[in-house]
PDB file of all heavy atoms in Angstrom:
ATOM      1  N   PRO A 118    -251.158 204.020 -40.786  1.00 98.00           N
ATOM      2  CA  PRO A 118    -251.827 204.584 -39.608  1.00 98.00           C
ATOM      3  C   PRO A 118    -251.199 205.881 -39.132  1.00 98.00           C
ATOM      4  O   PRO A 118    -251.877 206.729 -38.534  1.00 98.00           O
ATOM      5  CB  PRO A 118    -251.688 203.483 -38.547  1.00 98.00           C
ATOM      6  CG  PRO A 118    -251.221 202.266 -39.237  1.00 98.00           C
ATOM      7  CD  PRO A 118    -250.661 202.655 -40.560  1.00 98.00           C
ATOM      8  N   GLU A 119    -249.907 206.059 -39.430  1.00 97.00           N
ATOM      9  CA  GLU A 119    -249.201 207.264 -38.980  1.00 97.00           C
ATOM     10  C   GLU A 119    -249.680 208.539 -39.669  1.00 97.00           C
ATOM     11  O   GLU A 119    -249.319 209.651 -39.260  1.00 97.00           O
ATOM     12  CB  GLU A 119    -247.688 207.105 -39.194  1.00 97.00           C
ATOM     13  CG  GLU A 119    -247.240 206.949 -40.640  1.00 97.00           C
ATOM     14  CD  GLU A 119    -247.180 205.509 -41.120  1.00 97.00           C
ATOM     15  OE1 GLU A 119    -247.963 204.681 -40.624  1.00 97.00           O
ATOM     16  OE2 GLU A 119    -246.348 205.230 -42.017  1.00 97.00           O
ATOM     17  N   LEU A 120    -250.497 208.401 -40.711  1.00 97.00           N
ATOM     18  CA  LEU A 120    -251.015 209.578 -41.402  1.00 97.00           C
ATOM     19  C   LEU A 120    -252.133 210.279 -40.631  1.00 97.00           C
ATOM     20  O   LEU A 120    -252.559 211.371 -41.020  1.00 97.00           O
ATOM     21  CB  LEU A 120    -251.547 209.197 -42.791  1.00 97.00           C
ATOM     22  CG  LEU A 120    -250.503 208.855 -43.857  1.00 97.00           C
ATOM     23  CD1 LEU A 120    -251.188 208.424 -45.142  1.00 97.00           C
ATOM     24  CD2 LEU A 120    -249.582 210.043 -44.113  1.00 97.00           C
ATOM     25  N   ALA A 121    -252.592 209.682 -39.554  1.00 98.00           N
ATOM     26  CA  ALA A 121    -253.728 210.254 -38.823  1.00 98.00           C
ATOM     27  C   ALA A 121    -253.479 211.702 -38.417  1.00 98.00           C
ATOM     28  O   ALA A 121    -254.370 212.564 -38.545  1.00 98.00           O
ATOM     29  CB  ALA A 121    -254.044 209.399 -37.594  1.00 98.00           C
ATOM     30  N   ASP A 122    -252.282 212.002 -37.939  1.00 97.00           N
ATOM     31  CA  ASP A 122    -251.994 213.372 -37.499  1.00 97.00           C
ATOM     32  C   ASP A 122    -251.960 214.350 -38.664  1.00 97.00           C
ATOM     33  O   ASP A 122    -252.232 215.549 -38.484  1.00 97.00           O
ATOM     34  CB  ASP A 122    -250.658 213.420 -36.753  1.00 97.00           C
ATOM     35  CG  ASP A 122    -250.752 212.793 -35.367  1.00 97.00           C
ATOM     36  OD1 ASP A 122    -251.875 212.722 -34.829  1.00 97.00           O
ATOM     37  OD2 ASP A 122    -249.706 212.374 -34.835  1.00 97.00           O
ATOM     38  N   GLU A 123    -251.629 213.876 -39.856  1.00 97.00           N
ATOM     39  CA  GLU A 123    -251.536 214.762 -41.021  1.00 97.00           C
ATOM     40  C   GLU A 123    -252.913 215.200 -41.526  1.00 97.00           C
ATOM     41  O   GLU A 123    -253.044 216.242 -42.170  1.00 97.00           O
ATOM     42  CB  GLU A 123    -250.783 214.064 -42.154  1.00 97.00           C
ATOM     43  CG  GLU A 123    -249.356 213.683 -41.832  1.00 97.00           C
ATOM     44  CD  GLU A 123    -248.451 214.889 -41.649  1.00 97.00           C
ATOM     45  OE1 GLU A 123    -248.818 215.988 -42.114  1.00 97.00           O
ATOM     46  OE2 GLU A 123    -247.384 214.720 -41.030  1.00 97.00           O
ATOM     47  N   ILE A 124    -253.946 214.387 -41.257  1.00 98.00           N
ATOM     48  CA  ILE A 124    -255.279 214.669 -41.800  1.00 98.00           C
ATOM     49  C   ILE A 124    -256.297 214.869 -40.683  1.00 98.00           C
ATOM     50  O   ILE A 124    -257.495 214.817 -40.921  1.00 98.00           O
ATOM     51  CB  ILE A 124    -255.744 213.536 -42.725  1.00 98.00           C
ATOM     52  CG1 ILE A 124    -255.795 212.197 -41.970  1.00 98.00           C
ATOM     53  CG2 ILE A 124    -254.818 213.429 -43.936  1.00 98.00           C
ATOM     54  CD1 ILE A 124    -256.417 211.071 -42.775  1.00 98.00           C
ATOM     55  N   ARG A 125    -255.808 215.134 -39.479  1.00 97.00           N
ATOM     56  CA  ARG A 125    -256.662 215.220 -38.303  1.00 97.00           C
ATOM     57  C   ARG A 125    -257.852 216.159 -38.524  1.00 97.00           C
ATOM     58  O   ARG A 125    -257.689 217.312 -38.904  1.00 97.00           O
ATOM     59  CB  ARG A 125    -255.833 215.721 -37.117  1.00 97.00           C
ATOM     60  CG  ARG A 125    -256.579 215.836 -35.791  1.00 97.00           C
ATOM     61  CD  ARG A 125    -256.768 214.500 -35.161  1.00 97.00           C
ATOM     62  NE  ARG A 125    -255.491 213.803 -34.936  1.00 97.00           N
ATOM     63  CZ  ARG A 125    -255.405 212.512 -34.665  1.00 97.00           C
ATOM     64  NH1 ARG A 125    -256.502 211.766 -34.602  1.00 97.00           N
ATOM     65  NH2 ARG A 125    -254.212 211.945 -34.478  1.00 97.00           N
ATOM     66  N   GLY A 126    -259.067 215.627 -38.327  1.00 97.00           N
ATOM     67  CA  GLY A 126    -260.272 216.449 -38.382  1.00 97.00           C
ATOM     68  C   GLY A 126    -260.708 216.901 -39.758  1.00 97.00           C
ATOM     69  O   GLY A 126    -261.572 217.769 -39.868  1.00 97.00           O
ATOM     70  N   ALA A 127    -260.148 216.339 -40.818  1.00 98.00           N
ATOM     71  CA  ALA A 127    -260.528 216.755 -42.178  1.00 98.00           C
ATOM     72  C   ALA A 127    -262.033 216.603 -42.392  1.00 98.00           C
ATOM     73  O   ALA A 127    -262.660 215.674 -41.872  1.00 98.00           O
ATOM     74  CB  ALA A 127    -259.763 215.947 -43.214  1.00 98.00           C
ATOM     75  N   ASP A 128    -262.601 217.512 -43.159  1.00 98.00           N
ATOM     76  CA  ASP A 128    -264.038 217.453 -43.444  1.00 98.00           C
ATOM     77  C   ASP A 128    -264.374 216.272 -44.343  1.00 98.00           C
ATOM     78  O   ASP A 128    -265.442 215.670 -44.207  1.00 98.00           O
ATOM     79  CB  ASP A 128    -264.488 218.759 -44.100  1.00 98.00           C
ATOM     80  CG  ASP A 128    -264.377 219.932 -43.150  1.00 98.00           C
ATOM     81  OD1 ASP A 128    -265.333 220.193 -42.415  1.00 98.00           O
ATOM     82  OD2 ASP A 128    -263.301 220.563 -43.131  1.00 98.00           O
ATOM     83  N   LEU A 129    -263.471 215.952 -45.272  1.00 98.00           N
ATOM     84  CA  LEU A 129    -263.690 214.830 -46.179  1.00 98.00           C
ATOM     85  C   LEU A 129    -262.345 214.195 -46.495  1.00 98.00           C
ATOM     86  O   LEU A 129    -261.392 214.888 -46.851  1.00 98.00           O
ATOM     87  CB  LEU A 129    -264.366 215.290 -47.469  1.00 98.00           C
ATOM     88  CG  LEU A 129    -264.667 214.222 -48.516  1.00 98.00           C
ATOM     89  CD1 LEU A 129    -265.674 213.187 -47.984  1.00 98.00           C
ATOM     90  CD2 LEU A 129    -265.213 214.849 -49.807  1.00 98.00           C
ATOM     91  N   LEU A 130    -262.280 212.890 -46.334  1.00 98.00           N
ATOM     92  CA  LEU A 130    -261.086 212.118 -46.678  1.00 98.00           C
ATOM     93  C   LEU A 130    -261.431 211.149 -47.793  1.00 98.00           C
ATOM     94  O   LEU A 130    -262.312 210.300 -47.629  1.00 98.00           O
ATOM     95  CB  LEU A 130    -260.592 211.339 -45.453  1.00 98.00           C
ATOM     96  CG  LEU A 130    -259.602 210.187 -45.732  1.00 98.00           C
ATOM     97  CD1 LEU A 130    -258.283 210.718 -46.296  1.00 98.00           C
ATOM     98  CD2 LEU A 130    -259.354 209.371 -44.457  1.00 98.00           C
ATOM     99  N   MET A 131    -260.771 211.275 -48.942  1.00 98.00           N
ATOM    100  CA  MET A 131    -260.831 210.243 -49.960  1.00 98.00           C
ATOM    101  C   MET A 131    -259.607 209.357 -49.746  1.00 98.00           C
ATOM    102  O   MET A 131    -258.474 209.782 -49.937  1.00 98.00           O
ATOM    103  CB  MET A 131    -260.803 210.831 -51.370  1.00 98.00           C
ATOM    104  CG  MET A 131    -261.319 209.872 -52.461  1.00 98.00           C
ATOM    105  SD  MET A 131    -260.493 208.268 -52.635  1.00 98.00           S
ATOM    106  CE  MET A 131    -258.871 208.792 -53.204  1.00 98.00           C
ATOM    107  N   HIS A 132    -259.859 208.146 -49.299  1.00 98.00           N
ATOM    108  CA  HIS A 132    -258.772 207.190 -49.094  1.00 98.00           C
ATOM    109  C   HIS A 132    -259.044 205.981 -49.973  1.00 98.00           C
ATOM    110  O   HIS A 132    -260.131 205.427 -49.957  1.00 98.00           O
ATOM    111  CB  HIS A 132    -258.705 206.763 -47.626  1.00 98.00           C
ATOM    112  CG  HIS A 132    -257.471 205.980 -47.287  1.00 98.00           C
ATOM    113  ND1 HIS A 132    -257.207 204.719 -47.810  1.00 98.00           N
ATOM    114  CD2 HIS A 132    -256.415 206.284 -46.486  1.00 98.00           C
ATOM    115  CE1 HIS A 132    -256.048 204.285 -47.335  1.00 98.00           C
ATOM    116  NE2 HIS A 132    -255.543 205.205 -46.527  1.00 98.00           N
ATOM    117  N   GLU A 133    -258.055 205.598 -50.743  1.00 98.00           N
ATOM    118  CA  GLU A 133    -258.242 204.465 -51.640  1.00 98.00           C
ATOM    119  C   GLU A 133    -258.741 203.232 -50.889  1.00 98.00           C
ATOM    120  O   GLU A 133    -258.315 202.950 -49.765  1.00 98.00           O
ATOM    121  CB  GLU A 133    -256.946 204.153 -52.362  1.00 98.00           C
ATOM    122  CG  GLU A 133    -255.860 203.538 -51.495  1.00 98.00           C
ATOM    123  CD  GLU A 133    -255.306 202.259 -52.134  1.00 98.00           C
ATOM    124  OE1 GLU A 133    -255.974 201.211 -52.008  1.00 98.00           O
ATOM    125  OE2 GLU A 133    -254.215 202.326 -52.734  1.00 98.00           O
ATOM    126  N   THR A 134    -259.662 202.510 -51.521  1.00 98.00           N
ATOM    127  CA  THR A 134    -260.173 201.237 -51.010  1.00 98.00           C
ATOM    128  C   THR A 134    -260.113 200.244 -52.174  1.00 98.00           C
ATOM    129  O   THR A 134    -261.143 199.781 -52.663  1.00 98.00           O
ATOM    130  CB  THR A 134    -261.609 201.378 -50.479  1.00 98.00           C
ATOM    131  OG1 THR A 134    -262.437 201.925 -51.525  1.00 98.00           O
ATOM    132  CG2 THR A 134    -261.677 202.302 -49.281  1.00 98.00           C
ATOM    133  N   THR A 135    -258.906 199.967 -52.609  1.00 98.00           N
ATOM    134  CA  THR A 135    -258.739 199.125 -53.789  1.00 98.00           C
ATOM    135  C   THR A 135    -259.310 197.727 -53.571  1.00 98.00           C
ATOM    136  O   THR A 135    -259.897 197.137 -54.479  1.00 98.00           O
ATOM    137  CB  THR A 135    -257.252 199.024 -54.164  1.00 98.00           C
ATOM    138  OG1 THR A 135    -256.726 200.348 -54.339  1.00 98.00           O
ATOM    139  CG2 THR A 135    -257.061 198.247 -55.454  1.00 98.00           C
ATOM    140  N   TYR A 136    -259.160 197.214 -52.357  1.00 98.00           N
ATOM    141  CA  TYR A 136    -259.576 195.843 -52.057  1.00 98.00           C
ATOM    142  C   TYR A 136    -260.459 195.787 -50.811  1.00 98.00           C
ATOM    143  O   TYR A 136    -260.519 196.741 -50.029  1.00 98.00           O
ATOM    144  CB  TYR A 136    -258.343 194.955 -51.820  1.00 98.00           C
ATOM    145  CG  TYR A 136    -257.427 194.806 -53.001  1.00 98.00           C
ATOM    146  CD1 TYR A 136    -256.229 195.511 -53.061  1.00 98.00           C
ATOM    147  CD2 TYR A 136    -257.748 193.951 -54.051  1.00 98.00           C
ATOM    148  CE1 TYR A 136    -255.366 195.365 -54.150  1.00 98.00           C
ATOM    149  CE2 TYR A 136    -256.895 193.796 -55.138  1.00 98.00           C
ATOM    150  CZ  TYR A 136    -255.709 194.507 -55.183  1.00 98.00           C
ATOM    151  OH  TYR A 136    -254.866 194.360 -56.254  1.00 98.00           O
ATOM    152  N   THR A 137    -261.085 194.644 -50.617  1.00 98.00           N
ATOM    153  CA  THR A 137    -261.727 194.315 -49.348  1.00 98.00           C
ATOM    154  C   THR A 137    -260.768 193.421 -48.560  1.00 98.00           C
ATOM    155  O   THR A 137    -259.734 192.982 -49.073  1.00 98.00           O
ATOM    156  CB  THR A 137    -263.066 193.604 -49.580  1.00 98.00           C
ATOM    157  OG1 THR A 137    -262.865 192.527 -50.514  1.00 98.00           O
ATOM    158  CG2 THR A 137    -264.109 194.564 -50.136  1.00 98.00           C
ATOM    159  N   SER A 138    -261.120 193.147 -47.313  1.00 97.00           N
ATOM    160  CA  SER A 138    -260.172 192.504 -46.403  1.00 97.00           C
ATOM    161  C   SER A 138    -259.751 191.096 -46.822  1.00 97.00           C
ATOM    162  O   SER A 138    -258.672 190.630 -46.440  1.00 97.00           O
ATOM    163  CB  SER A 138    -260.755 192.460 -44.988  1.00 97.00           C
ATOM    164  OG  SER A 138    -260.766 193.757 -44.435  1.00 97.00           O
ATOM    165  N   ASN A 139    -260.564 190.412 -47.590  1.00 96.00           N
ATOM    166  CA  ASN A 139    -260.159 189.085 -48.040  1.00 96.00           C
ATOM    167  C   ASN A 139    -259.004 189.147 -49.046  1.00 96.00           C
ATOM    168  O   ASN A 139    -258.416 188.126 -49.387  1.00 96.00           O
ATOM    169  CB  ASN A 139    -261.345 188.305 -48.626  1.00 96.00           C
ATOM    170  CG  ASN A 139    -262.119 189.103 -49.649  1.00 96.00           C
ATOM    171  OD1 ASN A 139    -262.324 190.302 -49.475  1.00 96.00           O
ATOM    172  ND2 ASN A 139    -262.574 188.451 -50.703  1.00 96.00           N
ATOM    173  N   TYR A 140    -258.654 190.340 -49.508  1.00 96.00           N
ATOM    174  CA  TYR A 140    -257.484 190.523 -50.378  1.00 96.00           C
ATOM    175  C   TYR A 140    -256.393 191.340 -49.668  1.00 96.00           C
ATOM    176  O   TYR A 140    -255.567 191.976 -50.322  1.00 96.00           O
ATOM    177  CB  TYR A 140    -257.885 191.256 -51.663  1.00 96.00           C
ATOM    178  CG  TYR A 140    -258.810 190.481 -52.575  1.00 96.00           C
ATOM    179  CD1 TYR A 140    -260.169 190.773 -52.613  1.00 96.00           C
ATOM    180  CD2 TYR A 140    -258.324 189.471 -53.402  1.00 96.00           C
ATOM    181  CE1 TYR A 140    -261.030 190.073 -53.461  1.00 96.00           C
ATOM    182  CE2 TYR A 140    -259.170 188.773 -54.253  1.00 96.00           C
ATOM    183  CZ  TYR A 140    -260.522 189.075 -54.270  1.00 96.00           C
ATOM    184  OH  TYR A 140    -261.359 188.378 -55.106  1.00 96.00           O
ATOM    185  N   GLU A 141    -256.388 191.320 -48.347  1.00 96.00           N
ATOM    186  CA  GLU A 141    -255.464 192.179 -47.601  1.00 96.00           C
ATOM    187  C   GLU A 141    -254.001 191.885 -47.919  1.00 96.00           C
ATOM    188  O   GLU A 141    -253.179 192.794 -48.048  1.00 96.00           O
ATOM    189  CB  GLU A 141    -255.709 192.036 -46.102  1.00 96.00           C
ATOM    190  CG  GLU A 141    -254.870 192.998 -45.261  1.00 96.00           C
ATOM    191  CD  GLU A 141    -255.268 193.014 -43.806  1.00 96.00           C
ATOM    192  OE1 GLU A 141    -256.424 192.664 -43.481  1.00 96.00           O
ATOM    193  OE2 GLU A 141    -254.406 193.380 -42.973  1.00 96.00           O
ATOM    194  N   LYS A 142    -253.643 190.615 -48.051  1.00 95.00           N
ATOM    195  CA  LYS A 142    -252.257 190.266 -48.364  1.00 95.00           C
ATOM    196  C   LYS A 142    -251.859 190.817 -49.732  1.00 95.00           C
ATOM    197  O   LYS A 142    -250.769 191.363 -49.909  1.00 95.00           O
ATOM    198  CB  LYS A 142    -252.079 188.745 -48.334  1.00 95.00           C
ATOM    199  CG  LYS A 142    -250.642 188.294 -48.543  1.00 95.00           C
ATOM    200  CD  LYS A 142    -250.505 186.782 -48.408  1.00 95.00           C
ATOM    201  CE  LYS A 142    -249.062 186.342 -48.597  1.00 95.00           C
ATOM    202  NZ  LYS A 142    -248.916 184.867 -48.463  1.00 95.00           N
ATOM    203  N   GLU A 143    -252.751 190.692 -50.682  1.00 95.00           N
ATOM    204  CA  GLU A 143    -252.479 191.221 -52.021  1.00 95.00           C
ATOM    205  C   GLU A 143    -252.375 192.737 -52.002  1.00 95.00           C
ATOM    206  O   GLU A 143    -251.548 193.335 -52.694  1.00 95.00           O
ATOM    207  CB  GLU A 143    -253.589 190.780 -52.976  1.00 95.00           C
ATOM    208  CG  GLU A 143    -253.338 191.152 -54.417  1.00 95.00           C
ATOM    209  CD  GLU A 143    -254.318 190.501 -55.368  1.00 95.00           C
ATOM    210  OE1 GLU A 143    -254.940 189.492 -54.984  1.00 95.00           O
ATOM    211  OE2 GLU A 143    -254.461 191.004 -56.491  1.00 95.00           O
ATOM    212  N   ALA A 144    -253.214 193.372 -51.184  1.00 96.00           N
ATOM    213  CA  ALA A 144    -253.159 194.827 -51.057  1.00 96.00           C
ATOM    214  C   ALA A 144    -251.791 195.266 -50.564  1.00 96.00           C
ATOM    215  O   ALA A 144    -251.191 196.209 -51.113  1.00 96.00           O
ATOM    216  CB  ALA A 144    -254.246 195.304 -50.098  1.00 96.00           C
ATOM    217  N   GLU A 145    -251.273 194.591 -49.559  1.00 95.00           N
ATOM    218  CA  GLU A 145    -249.957 194.939 -49.014  1.00 95.00           C
ATOM    219  C   GLU A 145    -248.866 194.738 -50.057  1.00 95.00           C
ATOM    220  O   GLU A 145    -247.962 195.578 -50.203  1.00 95.00           O
ATOM    221  CB  GLU A 145    -249.672 194.103 -47.769  1.00 95.00           C
ATOM    222  CG  GLU A 145    -248.367 194.450 -47.089  1.00 95.00           C
ATOM    223  CD  GLU A 145    -248.145 193.652 -45.821  1.00 95.00           C
ATOM    224  OE1 GLU A 145    -249.039 192.865 -45.453  1.00 95.00           O
ATOM    225  OE2 GLU A 145    -247.072 193.820 -45.206  1.00 95.00           O
ATOM    226  N   GLN A 146    -248.943 193.654 -50.796  1.00 95.00           N
ATOM    227  CA  GLN A 146    -247.923 193.367 -51.805  1.00 95.00           C
ATOM    228  C   GLN A 146    -247.912 194.408 -52.915  1.00 95.00           C
ATOM    229  O   GLN A 146    -246.854 194.747 -53.453  1.00 95.00           O
ATOM    230  CB  GLN A 146    -248.159 191.979 -52.396  1.00 95.00           C
ATOM    231  CG  GLN A 146    -247.915 190.832 -51.434  1.00 95.00           C
ATOM    232  CD  GLN A 146    -248.337 189.484 -51.997  1.00 95.00           C
ATOM    233  OE1 GLN A 146    -249.101 189.409 -52.965  1.00 95.00           O
ATOM    234  NE2 GLN A 146    -247.842 188.407 -51.401  1.00 95.00           N
ATOM    235  N   ARG A 147    -249.082 194.936 -53.249  1.00 96.00           N
ATOM    236  CA  ARG A 147    -249.191 195.857 -54.383  1.00 96.00           C
ATOM    237  C   ARG A 147    -249.227 197.329 -53.976  1.00 96.00           C
ATOM    238  O   ARG A 147    -249.434 198.206 -54.814  1.00 96.00           O
ATOM    239  CB  ARG A 147    -250.441 195.514 -55.200  1.00 96.00           C
ATOM    240  CG  ARG A 147    -250.369 194.115 -55.808  1.00 96.00           C
ATOM    241  CD  ARG A 147    -251.472 193.883 -56.801  1.00 96.00           C
ATOM    242  NE  ARG A 147    -251.343 192.588 -57.464  1.00 96.00           N
ATOM    243  CZ  ARG A 147    -252.101 192.181 -58.464  1.00 96.00           C
ATOM    244  NH1 ARG A 147    -253.062 192.968 -58.928  1.00 96.00           N
ATOM    245  NH2 ARG A 147    -251.914 190.990 -59.016  1.00 96.00           N
ATOM    246  N   GLY A 148    -249.046 197.593 -52.693  1.00 97.00           N
ATOM    247  CA  GLY A 148    -249.022 198.980 -52.250  1.00 97.00           C
ATOM    248  C   GLY A 148    -250.390 199.622 -52.220  1.00 97.00           C
ATOM    249  O   GLY A 148    -250.540 200.801 -52.566  1.00 97.00           O
ATOM    250  N   HIS A 149    -251.387 198.858 -51.788  1.00 98.00           N
ATOM    251  CA  HIS A 149    -252.753 199.376 -51.717  1.00 98.00           C
ATOM    252  C   HIS A 149    -253.354 199.112 -50.344  1.00 98.00           C
ATOM    253  O   HIS A 149    -252.716 198.505 -49.470  1.00 98.00           O
ATOM    254  CB  HIS A 149    -253.618 198.748 -52.807  1.00 98.00           C
ATOM    255  CG  HIS A 149    -253.303 199.237 -54.179  1.00 98.00           C
ATOM    256  ND1 HIS A 149    -253.456 200.555 -54.551  1.00 98.00           N
ATOM    257  CD2 HIS A 149    -252.815 198.585 -55.276  1.00 98.00           C
ATOM    258  CE1 HIS A 149    -253.093 200.695 -55.822  1.00 98.00           C
ATOM    259  NE2 HIS A 149    -252.689 199.520 -56.281  1.00 98.00           N
TER     260      HIS A 149
END
């Protein structure tokens, strides 16, 4: 969440969406 200031107002943000929320624990473990 702390990256918000670094990308403030960007026209387009590509942010990885490796998983959906039902895999949130796995996402955290794998750095996604």
Side-chain angles (χ1 to χ4, degrees):
E119 63 270 30
L120 287 177
D122 287 338
E123 299 293 341
I124 59 173
R125 181 77 57 195
D128 294 272
L129 180 63
L130 163 65
M131 199 302 293
H132 190 294
E133 71 129 281
T134 55
T135 305
Y136 297 103
T137 50
S138 289
N139 50 321
Y140 293 102
E141 185 171 336
K142 184 176 181 180
E143 186 170 340
E145 183 177 357
Q146 292 172 342
R147 297 190 175 186
H149 288 297

